[in-house]
Amino acid sequence: MRVDYTELGQRIRAVAEGETDEVALMATLACEIHHSDERFDWTGFYRVVAPELLKIGPYQGGHGCLTIPFDKGVCGAAARTGETQLVPDVDAFPGHIACASSTRSEIVLPVWNGSGELIAVLDIDSDQPDAFDAQDAEALADILKAVFG
Ligand code: SME
């Protein structure tokens, strides 16, 4: 089934209401987002832990690599540029980091706090080619802004 972003956003806002702990919020979003759509085979956060360095945060799915510098991978590109990365074919993305050989497409969004600082990226992998579109990018960005912004 394909996610109903209106319903997902309402559910996340209700569950996250009043919570300020970033790890608790990331764990909740990883769970709710991951289970909302069969396209999502890995869903998780990489946190900014030092200048130019990401470390894995809460996630759902198989083993994810622990550390990603800003100059590596799709996650590094999202962190470095501050732009959402919509990748229809991971094999065509220079420097893609394959945590699972089954991954075919990916979306990675920057996560900003209320002060406009980059605190993490949200990474969703799919075993389906070209699984993500502009609607996913816009709806997920809205949810991230509502929770972390
Ligand atoms: N594919 C990501 C790495 C994270 S694993 O997919 C969970 C990247 O290229 O940055």
Side-chain angles (χ1 to χ4, degrees), residues 46-95:
Y46 281 86
R47 299 161 298 121
V48 179
V49 297
E52 312 290 308
L53 186 63
L54 297 165
K55 286 270 188 193
I56 200 161
Y59 68 93
Q60 300 267 322
H63 167 80
C65 59
L66 275 63
T67 301
I68 301 178
F70 278 29
D71 63 354
K72 298 276 190 295
V74 184
C75 293
R80 185 170 66 245
T81 65
E83 299 291 328
T84 294
Q85 306 294 309
L86 201 46
V87 182
D89 174 5
V90 296
D91 293 333
F93 188 96

Side-chain angles (χ1 to χ4, degrees), residues 42 46 64-65 68 73-75 96-97 99 106 123 125:
W42 193 97
Y46 281 86
C65 59
I68 301 178
V74 184
C75 293
H96 169 255
I97 300 168
C99 292
E106 185 164 2
D123 178 16
D125 296 342

